[in-house]
Amino acid sequence: MAVKRERCAWLKGPQFPCEDKPPAQQRPYRLVLLGAPGVGKGTQAEFLIERLGPCHLSTGDIFRAAKALPESERTPAIEEALGFMKRGDLVPDGTVVALVRERVECLNCEGGFLLDGFPRTVAQAEALEGMLKTQKVKLDAVLNYEMPIEKVVDRIGGRRTCSKCKAVFHVTNMPPKKAGVCDHCGAELFQREDDRPESVRVRMQAYAKSTAPLTDYYGNKGVLISIIAEGSPEEIFQRTMKLLNARTGKS
Ligand code: AMP
């Protein structure tokens, strides 16, 4: 099971420094995860964090953390962003880029980073490139998980998330030991609002239109690694490590 870090600086902003930073890595991995919703990126993120130690920088988690705040503590920009999220739409680039820019020092984390859910558009990728330059760091690889669309839709419908530790299960592919209860912390599992069928359709359209072009963007930069996301989570992870080691020479 992946190490759960509090990720204060990422989730709440730079005025809340992390108390449990990932340990400094001799050769920190700096990775981006790509793949349609439901392709199993979350599970692969857990494996990668456990094995390679980077900090998990998920923009979706920033929005979910903001959603958990009382309404009086949410800024108007966050409130507006949550409206897009609820409908399954992408939050506008300006808002997301501003949130990541505020947290730019997380890109310099000594443990490395695993960006998950960002960038999602070419404009965001360009903004990220600028931020990486200011932090004087480079991406090791962009991991792109691929799966036929019908399988993706089926997987999202069965996905359940822990209300407390955010671990992800699937009612048939990766069921918890006890139905509806998290194996890790015992809290209740729920279906995310944006995993419901009406939101899923919008998310898939947003992915095809805005995020799929990122594979060309990163392919042209020579950092893209495409991985077939079929088989067990362990098999997919082994496939990932083989391709990643071949590309980076790290082991
Ligand atoms: P995720 O957990 O990455 O699937 O994100 C959940 C939701 O947050 C998405 O469906 C979007 O509404 C919003 N979101 C997260 N990251 C981004 C991003 N980089 N650009 C636009 N919207 C985002």
Side-chain angles (χ1 to χ4, degrees), residues 3-58:
V3 189
K4 290 282 171 197
R5 302 202 174 276
E6 58 173 4
R7 297 176 295 157
C8 253
W10 180 254
L11 295 181
K12 296 186 183 170
Q15 62 277 43
F16 299 94
C18 292
E19 287 188 2
D20 71 339
K21 289 186 185 164
Q25 307 280 336
Q26 237 181 348
R27 301 175 73 184
Y29 279 84
R30 300 189 176 100
L31 303 169
V32 169
L33 285 189
L34 287 184
V39 86
K41 272 186 299 146
T43 308
Q44 294 306 311
E46 289 190 6
F47 281 123
L48 289 159
I49 291 161
E50 167 118 345
R51 171 83 182 265
L52 306 178
C55 191
H56 188 200
L57 306 183
S58 150

Short mmCIF file of all heavy atoms in Angstrom, two decimals, residues 3-58:
data_model
loop_
_atom_site.label_atom_id
_atom_site.label_comp_id
_atom_site.label_asym_id
_atom_site.label_seq_id
_atom_site.Cartn_x
_atom_site.Cartn_y
_atom_site.Cartn_z
N VAL A 3 2.52 4.87 0.60
CA VAL A 3 2.68 5.71 1.78
C VAL A 3 1.73 6.89 1.60
O VAL A 3 1.73 7.54 0.56
CB VAL A 3 4.13 6.27 1.81
CG1 VAL A 3 4.42 6.95 3.12
CG2 VAL A 3 5.13 5.19 1.48
N LYS A 4 0.92 7.18 2.62
CA LYS A 4 0.01 8.32 2.51
C LYS A 4 0.66 9.52 3.17
O LYS A 4 0.79 9.56 4.38
CB LYS A 4 -1.34 8.00 3.19
CG LYS A 4 -2.15 6.98 2.43
CD LYS A 4 -2.84 7.60 1.23
CE LYS A 4 -3.46 6.52 0.37
NZ LYS A 4 -3.81 6.93 -0.97
N ARG A 5 1.07 10.47 2.38
CA ARG A 5 1.68 11.68 2.94
C ARG A 5 0.61 12.75 3.07
O ARG A 5 -0.35 12.78 2.31
CB ARG A 5 2.80 12.17 2.05
CG ARG A 5 3.86 11.14 1.87
CD ARG A 5 5.19 11.68 1.46
NE ARG A 5 6.12 10.58 1.47
CZ ARG A 5 6.75 10.13 2.54
NH1 ARG A 5 6.61 10.74 3.69
NH2 ARG A 5 7.54 9.09 2.47
N GLU A 6 0.85 13.66 4.01
CA GLU A 6 -0.18 14.70 4.20
C GLU A 6 -0.19 15.71 3.04
O GLU A 6 -1.21 16.29 2.76
CB GLU A 6 0.04 15.40 5.53
CG GLU A 6 1.42 16.02 5.59
CD GLU A 6 1.63 16.88 6.83
OE1 GLU A 6 0.74 16.94 7.68
OE2 GLU A 6 2.70 17.47 6.91
N ARG A 7 0.92 15.90 2.37
CA ARG A 7 1.04 16.79 1.19
C ARG A 7 0.41 18.16 1.46
O ARG A 7 -0.33 18.69 0.63
CB ARG A 7 0.36 16.15 -0.04
CG ARG A 7 0.99 14.87 -0.51
CD ARG A 7 0.21 14.27 -1.64
NE ARG A 7 -1.13 13.87 -1.21
CZ ARG A 7 -2.17 13.73 -2.01
NH1 ARG A 7 -2.05 13.93 -3.30
NH2 ARG A 7 -3.34 13.36 -1.54
N CYS A 8 0.73 18.72 2.64
CA CYS A 8 0.10 19.98 3.04
C CYS A 8 0.31 21.09 2.02
O CYS A 8 -0.63 21.77 1.63
CB CYS A 8 0.69 20.42 4.37
SG CYS A 8 -0.46 20.20 5.69
N ALA A 9 1.59 21.27 1.59
CA ALA A 9 1.90 22.39 0.70
C ALA A 9 1.14 22.24 -0.62
O ALA A 9 0.72 23.23 -1.22
CB ALA A 9 3.40 22.47 0.44
N TRP A 10 0.96 21.01 -1.06
CA TRP A 10 0.25 20.79 -2.32
C TRP A 10 -1.25 20.97 -2.14
O TRP A 10 -1.90 21.68 -2.91
CB TRP A 10 0.56 19.39 -2.87
CG TRP A 10 -0.13 19.09 -4.18
CD1 TRP A 10 -1.20 18.28 -4.35
CD2 TRP A 10 0.18 19.65 -5.45
NE1 TRP A 10 -1.57 18.28 -5.68
CE2 TRP A 10 -0.75 19.12 -6.38
CE3 TRP A 10 1.14 20.55 -5.93
CZ2 TRP A 10 -0.74 19.44 -7.74
CZ3 TRP A 10 1.14 20.88 -7.28
CH2 TRP A 10 0.22 20.33 -8.16
N LEU A 11 -1.82 20.35 -1.12
CA LEU A 11 -3.28 20.37 -0.98
C LEU A 11 -3.80 21.72 -0.49
O LEU A 11 -4.86 22.17 -0.92
CB LEU A 11 -3.75 19.27 -0.03
CG LEU A 11 -3.50 17.84 -0.52
CD1 LEU A 11 -4.02 16.84 0.51
CD2 LEU A 11 -4.14 17.57 -1.87
N LYS A 12 -3.03 22.38 0.41
CA LYS A 12 -3.56 23.61 1.00
C LYS A 12 -2.89 24.87 0.47
O LYS A 12 -3.44 25.96 0.62
CB LYS A 12 -3.37 23.57 2.52
CG LYS A 12 -4.15 22.46 3.20
CD LYS A 12 -3.98 22.64 4.69
CE LYS A 12 -4.65 21.57 5.50
NZ LYS A 12 -4.26 21.65 6.91
N GLY A 13 -1.67 24.75 -0.07
CA GLY A 13 -0.96 25.93 -0.57
C GLY A 13 0.34 26.13 0.18
O GLY A 13 0.56 25.52 1.24
N PRO A 14 1.22 26.99 -0.40
CA PRO A 14 2.59 27.10 0.11
C PRO A 14 2.69 27.67 1.52
O PRO A 14 3.71 27.53 2.19
CB PRO A 14 3.27 28.05 -0.89
CG PRO A 14 2.15 28.73 -1.59
CD PRO A 14 0.96 27.84 -1.54
N GLN A 15 1.61 28.33 2.00
CA GLN A 15 1.66 28.85 3.38
C GLN A 15 1.54 27.73 4.41
O GLN A 15 1.65 27.97 5.60
CB GLN A 15 0.61 29.96 3.60
CG GLN A 15 -0.84 29.57 3.43
CD GLN A 15 -1.32 29.59 1.97
OE1 GLN A 15 -0.64 29.14 1.06
NE2 GLN A 15 -2.53 30.08 1.77
N PHE A 16 1.32 26.49 3.94
CA PHE A 16 1.22 25.33 4.85
C PHE A 16 2.33 24.33 4.49
O PHE A 16 2.06 23.35 3.79
CB PHE A 16 -0.14 24.64 4.71
CG PHE A 16 -1.30 25.53 5.05
CD1 PHE A 16 -1.96 26.24 4.06
CD2 PHE A 16 -1.73 25.66 6.37
CE1 PHE A 16 -3.03 27.07 4.37
CE2 PHE A 16 -2.80 26.48 6.68
CZ PHE A 16 -3.45 27.20 5.68
N PRO A 17 3.58 24.58 4.93
CA PRO A 17 4.67 23.69 4.51
C PRO A 17 4.45 22.24 4.96
O PRO A 17 3.86 22.01 6.01
CB PRO A 17 5.91 24.29 5.19
CG PRO A 17 5.47 25.53 5.86
CD PRO A 17 3.98 25.61 5.84
N CYS A 18 4.96 21.30 4.16
CA CYS A 18 4.80 19.87 4.50
C CYS A 18 5.63 19.53 5.72
O CYS A 18 6.79 19.93 5.81
CB CYS A 18 5.30 19.00 3.35
SG CYS A 18 4.29 19.11 1.90
N GLU A 19 5.04 18.77 6.62
CA GLU A 19 5.84 18.30 7.76
C GLU A 19 6.44 16.94 7.47
O GLU A 19 7.50 16.61 7.97
CB GLU A 19 4.98 18.27 9.02
CG GLU A 19 4.75 19.69 9.47
CD GLU A 19 4.07 19.81 10.80
OE1 GLU A 19 3.80 18.79 11.44
OE2 GLU A 19 3.81 20.98 11.18
N ASP A 20 5.75 16.13 6.67
CA ASP A 20 6.32 14.81 6.35
C ASP A 20 6.67 14.75 4.87
O ASP A 20 6.01 14.12 4.07
CB ASP A 20 5.39 13.68 6.77
CG ASP A 20 4.15 13.59 5.91
OD1 ASP A 20 3.82 14.61 5.27
OD2 ASP A 20 3.54 12.51 5.84
N LYS A 21 7.77 15.44 4.54
CA LYS A 21 8.24 15.44 3.14
C LYS A 21 8.72 14.05 2.76
O LYS A 21 9.26 13.33 3.61
CB LYS A 21 9.44 16.38 3.00
CG LYS A 21 9.10 17.82 3.10
CD LYS A 21 10.32 18.66 2.81
CE LYS A 21 9.95 20.09 3.05
NZ LYS A 21 11.00 21.00 3.17
N PRO A 22 8.62 13.70 1.47
CA PRO A 22 9.22 12.43 1.05
C PRO A 22 10.73 12.51 1.30
O PRO A 22 11.30 13.58 1.16
CB PRO A 22 8.94 12.36 -0.45
CG PRO A 22 7.94 13.41 -0.73
CD PRO A 22 8.01 14.42 0.36
N PRO A 23 11.37 11.40 1.68
CA PRO A 23 12.81 11.45 1.89
C PRO A 23 13.53 11.83 0.59
O PRO A 23 13.07 11.47 -0.50
CB PRO A 23 13.16 10.01 2.29
CG PRO A 23 11.96 9.20 1.99
CD PRO A 23 10.78 10.09 1.86
N ALA A 24 14.65 12.57 0.72
CA ALA A 24 15.41 12.98 -0.47
C ALA A 24 15.88 11.73 -1.21
O ALA A 24 16.35 10.78 -0.60
CB ALA A 24 16.60 13.82 -0.04
N GLN A 25 15.70 11.71 -2.50
CA GLN A 25 16.13 10.57 -3.31
C GLN A 25 17.42 10.94 -4.01
O GLN A 25 17.59 12.08 -4.43
CB GLN A 25 15.08 10.25 -4.40
CG GLN A 25 13.68 10.07 -3.89
CD GLN A 25 13.45 8.70 -3.32
OE1 GLN A 25 14.14 7.75 -3.66
NE2 GLN A 25 12.50 8.59 -2.41
N GLN A 26 18.31 9.95 -4.13
CA GLN A 26 19.55 10.23 -4.85
C GLN A 26 19.26 10.65 -6.28
O GLN A 26 19.82 11.58 -6.80
CB GLN A 26 20.41 8.98 -4.85
CG GLN A 26 21.76 9.26 -4.25
CD GLN A 26 22.61 8.01 -4.27
OE1 GLN A 26 22.13 6.91 -4.52
NE2 GLN A 26 23.88 8.18 -4.02
N ARG A 27 18.35 9.91 -6.88
CA ARG A 27 17.94 10.25 -8.25
C ARG A 27 16.42 10.34 -8.27
O ARG A 27 15.73 9.38 -8.58
CB ARG A 27 18.43 9.16 -9.22
CG ARG A 27 19.94 9.00 -9.19
CD ARG A 27 20.36 7.84 -10.04
NE ARG A 27 20.25 8.13 -11.45
CZ ARG A 27 20.50 7.23 -12.41
NH1 ARG A 27 20.83 6.00 -12.08
NH2 ARG A 27 20.38 7.57 -13.67
N PRO A 28 15.92 11.52 -7.90
CA PRO A 28 14.45 11.63 -7.82
C PRO A 28 13.78 11.47 -9.18
O PRO A 28 14.28 11.96 -10.19
CB PRO A 28 14.24 13.05 -7.27
CG PRO A 28 15.51 13.77 -7.49
CD PRO A 28 16.60 12.77 -7.61
N TYR A 29 12.68 10.78 -9.17
CA TYR A 29 11.89 10.63 -10.40
C TYR A 29 10.93 11.80 -10.53
O TYR A 29 10.29 12.20 -9.55
CB TYR A 29 11.07 9.34 -10.35
CG TYR A 29 11.86 8.11 -10.71
CD1 TYR A 29 12.63 7.46 -9.76
CD2 TYR A 29 11.85 7.61 -12.02
CE1 TYR A 29 13.37 6.33 -10.09
CE2 TYR A 29 12.58 6.48 -12.35
CZ TYR A 29 13.33 5.85 -11.38
OH TYR A 29 14.05 4.73 -11.72
N ARG A 30 10.84 12.34 -11.74
CA ARG A 30 9.88 13.43 -12.00
C ARG A 30 9.03 12.98 -13.19
O ARG A 30 9.50 12.92 -14.32
CB ARG A 30 10.64 14.72 -12.31
CG ARG A 30 11.51 15.13 -11.13
CD ARG A 30 12.11 16.48 -11.25
NE ARG A 30 12.84 16.80 -10.03
CZ ARG A 30 14.16 16.69 -9.88
NH1 ARG A 30 14.91 16.30 -10.90
NH2 ARG A 30 14.73 16.98 -8.73
N LEU A 31 7.80 12.63 -12.85
CA LEU A 31 6.94 11.93 -13.82
C LEU A 31 5.60 12.63 -13.97
O LEU A 31 5.11 13.26 -13.03
CB LEU A 31 6.69 10.50 -13.34
CG LEU A 31 7.93 9.63 -13.09
CD1 LEU A 31 7.54 8.35 -12.36
CD2 LEU A 31 8.63 9.31 -14.40
N VAL A 32 5.00 12.45 -15.16
CA VAL A 32 3.62 12.88 -15.40
C VAL A 32 2.83 11.63 -15.77
O VAL A 32 3.32 10.79 -16.53
CB VAL A 32 3.55 13.90 -16.57
CG1 VAL A 32 2.11 14.13 -17.00
CG2 VAL A 32 4.19 15.23 -16.18
N LEU A 33 1.62 11.50 -15.23
CA LEU A 33 0.73 10.39 -15.59
C LEU A 33 -0.33 10.88 -16.55
O LEU A 33 -0.98 11.89 -16.27
CB LEU A 33 0.00 9.86 -14.35
CG LEU A 33 0.73 9.01 -13.35
CD1 LEU A 33 -0.27 8.45 -12.35
CD2 LEU A 33 1.49 7.89 -14.01
N LEU A 34 -0.54 10.15 -17.63
CA LEU A 34 -1.62 10.46 -18.57
C LEU A 34 -2.47 9.22 -18.78
O LEU A 34 -1.97 8.10 -18.66
CB LEU A 34 -1.07 10.86 -19.95
CG LEU A 34 -0.39 12.20 -20.16
CD1 LEU A 34 -0.04 12.34 -21.64
CD2 LEU A 34 -1.27 13.34 -19.71
N GLY A 35 -3.73 9.43 -19.17
CA GLY A 35 -4.60 8.29 -19.45
C GLY A 35 -6.03 8.72 -19.21
O GLY A 35 -6.29 9.57 -18.35
N ALA A 36 -6.96 8.15 -19.98
CA ALA A 36 -8.37 8.51 -19.83
C ALA A 36 -8.84 8.19 -18.41
O ALA A 36 -8.26 7.32 -17.74
CB ALA A 36 -9.20 7.73 -20.85
N PRO A 37 -9.90 8.86 -17.94
CA PRO A 37 -10.43 8.53 -16.62
C PRO A 37 -10.77 7.04 -16.58
O PRO A 37 -11.29 6.50 -17.57
CB PRO A 37 -11.71 9.37 -16.52
CG PRO A 37 -11.64 10.38 -17.60
CD PRO A 37 -10.68 9.88 -18.64
N GLY A 38 -10.48 6.37 -15.49
CA GLY A 38 -10.88 4.96 -15.34
C GLY A 38 -9.87 3.97 -15.87
O GLY A 38 -10.08 2.76 -15.79
N VAL A 39 -8.74 4.44 -16.38
CA VAL A 39 -7.80 3.54 -17.01
C VAL A 39 -6.91 2.83 -15.96
O VAL A 39 -6.19 1.89 -16.28
CB VAL A 39 -6.99 4.35 -18.07
CG1 VAL A 39 -5.79 5.04 -17.47
CG2 VAL A 39 -6.65 3.54 -19.27
N GLY A 40 -7.01 3.29 -14.72
CA GLY A 40 -6.24 2.65 -13.65
C GLY A 40 -5.02 3.45 -13.22
O GLY A 40 -4.12 2.93 -12.57
N LYS A 41 -5.03 4.73 -13.56
CA LYS A 41 -3.88 5.59 -13.22
C LYS A 41 -3.69 5.69 -11.71
O LYS A 41 -2.57 5.73 -11.23
CB LYS A 41 -4.13 7.02 -13.72
CG LYS A 41 -3.69 7.27 -15.13
CD LYS A 41 -3.85 8.75 -15.46
CE LYS A 41 -5.27 9.17 -15.34
NZ LYS A 41 -5.64 10.42 -14.91
N GLY A 42 -4.81 5.75 -10.97
CA GLY A 42 -4.72 5.92 -9.52
C GLY A 42 -3.97 4.76 -8.88
O GLY A 42 -3.11 4.96 -8.02
N THR A 43 -4.29 3.54 -9.33
CA THR A 43 -3.62 2.36 -8.77
C THR A 43 -2.14 2.37 -9.14
O THR A 43 -1.27 2.09 -8.31
CB THR A 43 -4.28 1.08 -9.31
OG1 THR A 43 -5.68 1.18 -9.08
CG2 THR A 43 -3.74 -0.16 -8.65
N GLN A 44 -1.85 2.73 -10.40
CA GLN A 44 -0.44 2.78 -10.81
C GLN A 44 0.29 3.88 -10.05
O GLN A 44 1.46 3.72 -9.69
CB GLN A 44 -0.32 3.01 -12.34
CG GLN A 44 -0.84 1.84 -13.16
CD GLN A 44 -0.19 0.51 -12.76
OE1 GLN A 44 1.02 0.40 -12.65
NE2 GLN A 44 -1.01 -0.51 -12.52
N ALA A 45 -0.40 4.98 -9.76
CA ALA A 45 0.23 6.06 -8.97
C ALA A 45 0.64 5.51 -7.61
O ALA A 45 1.75 5.76 -7.14
CB ALA A 45 -0.74 7.23 -8.81
N GLU A 46 -0.23 4.70 -6.99
CA GLU A 46 0.10 4.13 -5.67
C GLU A 46 1.35 3.27 -5.74
O GLU A 46 2.24 3.37 -4.91
CB GLU A 46 -1.07 3.30 -5.13
CG GLU A 46 -2.24 4.15 -4.73
CD GLU A 46 -3.30 3.36 -3.97
OE1 GLU A 46 -3.05 2.17 -3.67
OE2 GLU A 46 -4.36 3.93 -3.68
N PHE A 47 1.43 2.41 -6.77
CA PHE A 47 2.61 1.55 -6.94
C PHE A 47 3.87 2.40 -7.14
O PHE A 47 4.92 2.13 -6.56
CB PHE A 47 2.45 0.64 -8.16
CG PHE A 47 1.58 -0.57 -7.95
CD1 PHE A 47 0.47 -0.79 -8.74
CD2 PHE A 47 1.89 -1.50 -6.97
CE1 PHE A 47 -0.32 -1.91 -8.57
CE2 PHE A 47 1.10 -2.64 -6.79
CZ PHE A 47 -0.01 -2.84 -7.59
N LEU A 48 3.76 3.40 -8.00
CA LEU A 48 4.94 4.21 -8.34
C LEU A 48 5.45 4.97 -7.11
O LEU A 48 6.66 5.08 -6.89
CB LEU A 48 4.60 5.19 -9.47
CG LEU A 48 4.41 4.53 -10.85
CD1 LEU A 48 3.60 5.43 -11.78
CD2 LEU A 48 5.76 4.19 -11.48
N ILE A 49 4.51 5.46 -6.31
CA ILE A 49 4.90 6.21 -5.11
C ILE A 49 5.60 5.28 -4.13
O ILE A 49 6.65 5.59 -3.57
CB ILE A 49 3.67 6.88 -4.47
CG1 ILE A 49 3.17 7.98 -5.39
CG2 ILE A 49 4.01 7.44 -3.10
CD1 ILE A 49 1.74 8.38 -5.12
N GLU A 50 5.02 4.10 -3.97
CA GLU A 50 5.60 3.12 -3.04
C GLU A 50 7.00 2.71 -3.48
O GLU A 50 7.92 2.65 -2.68
CB GLU A 50 4.68 1.89 -3.02
CG GLU A 50 5.29 0.69 -2.36
CD GLU A 50 4.50 0.28 -1.14
OE1 GLU A 50 3.67 1.08 -0.68
OE2 GLU A 50 4.72 -0.84 -0.67
N ARG A 51 7.15 2.46 -4.78
CA ARG A 51 8.42 1.93 -5.27
C ARG A 51 9.48 3.01 -5.51
O ARG A 51 10.65 2.81 -5.23
CB ARG A 51 8.12 1.16 -6.56
CG ARG A 51 9.29 0.69 -7.34
CD ARG A 51 9.85 -0.62 -6.79
NE ARG A 51 11.01 -1.02 -7.56
CZ ARG A 51 10.96 -1.87 -8.58
NH1 ARG A 51 9.84 -2.45 -8.90
NH2 ARG A 51 12.05 -2.16 -9.25
N LEU A 52 9.04 4.18 -6.01
CA LEU A 52 10.03 5.19 -6.43
C LEU A 52 10.07 6.41 -5.51
O LEU A 52 10.94 7.26 -5.66
CB LEU A 52 9.74 5.65 -7.87
CG LEU A 52 9.64 4.53 -8.93
CD1 LEU A 52 9.30 5.11 -10.29
CD2 LEU A 52 10.95 3.76 -9.00
N GLY A 53 9.09 6.53 -4.62
CA GLY A 53 9.13 7.57 -3.58
C GLY A 53 8.78 8.99 -3.94
O GLY A 53 8.98 9.88 -3.12
N PRO A 54 8.25 9.29 -5.13
CA PRO A 54 7.94 10.70 -5.41
C PRO A 54 6.71 11.18 -4.66
O PRO A 54 5.93 10.37 -4.15
CB PRO A 54 7.67 10.71 -6.92
CG PRO A 54 7.13 9.36 -7.20
CD PRO A 54 7.84 8.42 -6.25
N CYS A 55 6.55 12.50 -4.59
CA CYS A 55 5.36 13.07 -3.96
C CYS A 55 4.21 13.07 -4.98
O CYS A 55 4.41 13.42 -6.15
CB CYS A 55 5.65 14.49 -3.49
SG CYS A 55 4.35 15.10 -2.44
N HIS A 56 3.04 12.70 -4.55
CA HIS A 56 1.89 12.58 -5.44
C HIS A 56 1.21 13.93 -5.61
O HIS A 56 0.52 14.40 -4.71
CB HIS A 56 0.91 11.55 -4.85
CG HIS A 56 -0.21 11.20 -5.77
ND1 HIS A 56 -1.38 10.64 -5.31
CD2 HIS A 56 -0.36 11.32 -7.10
CE1 HIS A 56 -2.19 10.42 -6.33
NE2 HIS A 56 -1.60 10.84 -7.43
N LEU A 57 1.40 14.56 -6.76
CA LEU A 57 0.83 15.88 -7.00
C LEU A 57 -0.39 15.75 -7.91
O LEU A 57 -0.27 15.73 -9.13
CB LEU A 57 1.87 16.81 -7.63
CG LEU A 57 3.20 16.95 -6.89
CD1 LEU A 57 4.11 17.95 -7.60
CD2 LEU A 57 3.00 17.33 -5.44
N SER A 58 -1.56 15.59 -7.30
CA SER A 58 -2.79 15.43 -8.07
C SER A 58 -3.62 16.71 -7.96
O SER A 58 -3.93 17.16 -6.85
CB SER A 58 -3.58 14.24 -7.51
OG SER A 58 -4.97 14.42 -7.69
#
